[in-house]
Structures are given as structure tokens and as C-alpha cells.
Amino acid sequence: RFESLEGGSRCSGRHRPALVALGRYSEAEPLLRTAIEQGSNGADIQRALVLCLLERGNLLEAERLLERVGPGPRGDGDLLKAMILLERGEAADALSILEPVTRDRSGEPKVLNLAAGILYRLGRYQDAVDILTQANEMAPSDSVIENNLRHAEAASAAIDLQAQATATSALSN
């Protein structure tokens, strides 16, 4: 765990991905930009910058950079593209991009969590529950997945209750 990182751009290369993994995007972004400016122009560094931009709400720049970098060998770029589309409210397009990646990376809870989030946005709550249950079994201590599972279960239950409801008429005096 990193309490603080001093040294700015002198921060070692292993700290940049660690900051992104910890969700410290505002700290990671300038370090990633500096690394790219100084010639560390690897696709992984650029995709990490795309994630920072996306998480900080800069969708346009994230998408432009992602187009230059490409998808990558494991489909990481496709994951990022799906995240961008989801943020734009284009869940169906996000799902079409993510489905092949999800099949290839079905053992990764975070990938499953993203797929479930897309299904949830599409109103496919039970499908989201099924996928999040798998992800939760793989990563039982991940509070994000656990919370998402609870929300999906509640939404699915609400739909079930609505379907079971019968029409009633007002009682007459």
C-alpha cells in the first residue's frame, strides 16, 4: 500500500500501475503522461492512461488515445472501449464488444463484473445476478462485486414481484 509517493516523475515504473490498481487515478495520470513524454510509450502504459482518463470523466481524450493504442493481445482495449460505451449510455454496443472478451477471460472477476454491469443497464437483472454470483465466488472479499450482486438481486426480485402482482379493483362501499 502506498501512503504517498514523493519524487513526481522520478517515481519508479512499477508505481504507476500500482496507483492505477489502487484507483488513485488523479495521482497516476500525470506520472503516466510524463512517462509517455519521456519515451516510455508502451501500449500498457497508454492503456493505463486511457483508464485514468475514463475514470476521471475525460471520455473524448480516452477514446482518441485508445484508438491510437489498439486493443492489445488480451483484449484490454476492448474492455476499455466497452467501459467508454457504457459511460456514454450505449450499453448494447458495449455488450457486443465485451462478449467475446468475457468468453476468453471468464475466470477474471473484474471482467465478469463489467459484463454484469452492462447487463444490469440493459435491464437483464437475472443475467447480471448469475454472472456476479460467479464473480463473487472467485473473489469473495471484493466489496464492489458483492455490492453489485446485492443491487442486481434486489432489481431482479423487484421484477419478479411486479410480474407476480395481480390486478386488484378498488373495494366498493
Side-chain angles (χ1 to χ4, degrees):
R1 182 168 172 204
F2 298 97
E3 293 303 320
S4 74
L5 292 173
E6 297 180 5
S9 63
R10 294 186 312 265
C11 180
S12 76
R14 66 186 171 84
H15 289 133
R16 290 184 297 265
L19 287 171
V20 173
L22 290 170
R24 292 169 60 177
Y25 304 108
S26 61
E27 293 174 65
E29 183 180 343
L31 295 173
L32 290 166
R33 286 184 187 279
T34 301
I36 290 168
E37 289 168 8
Q38 293 177 350
S40 296
N41 218 9
D44 288 340
I45 290 175
Q46 291 184 40
R47 279 191 285 279
L49 179 56
V50 169
L51 180 59
C52 288
L53 294 168
L54 176 61
E55 291 295 331
R56 298 192 67 208
N58 193 341
L59 299 180
L60 187 58
E61 186 180 356
E63 190 163 30
R64 280 197 309 252
L65 180 57
L66 184 57
E67 286 173 10
R68 286 196 310 263
V69 176
R74 295 190 60 230
D76 290 344
D78 289 336
L79 290 172
L80 292 167
K81 180 67 175 175
M83 291 171 71
I84 289 169
L85 291 169
L86 187 60
E87 285 297 314
R88 286 196 171 149
E90 301 172 25
D93 291 337
L95 184 60
S96 69
I97 288 173
L98 190 64
E99 282 180 324
V101 178
T102 304
R103 280 191 297 275
D104 293 340
R105 296 174 65 174
S106 62
E108 296 180 43
K110 290 182 189 256
V111 172
L112 295 177
N113 185 57
L114 177 58
I118 293 170
L119 292 168
Y120 185 94
R121 291 261 184 97
L122 291 170
R124 294 173 52 186
Y125 304 119
Q126 188 56 52
D127 291 337
V129 167
D130 295 343
I131 289 176
L132 286 166
T133 299
Q134 279 183 301
N136 194 45
E137 289 170 359
M138 290 180 218
S141 62
D142 189 318
S143 62
V144 171
I145 292 173
E146 187 178 338
N147 287 336
N148 289 344
L149 176 57
R150 281 198 304 263
H151 288 290
E153 287 171 335
S156 182
I159 295 297
D160 289 346
L161 284 174
Q162 184 179 17
Q164 294 171 8
T166 57
T168 60
S169 58
L171 296 174
S172 59
N173 292 339

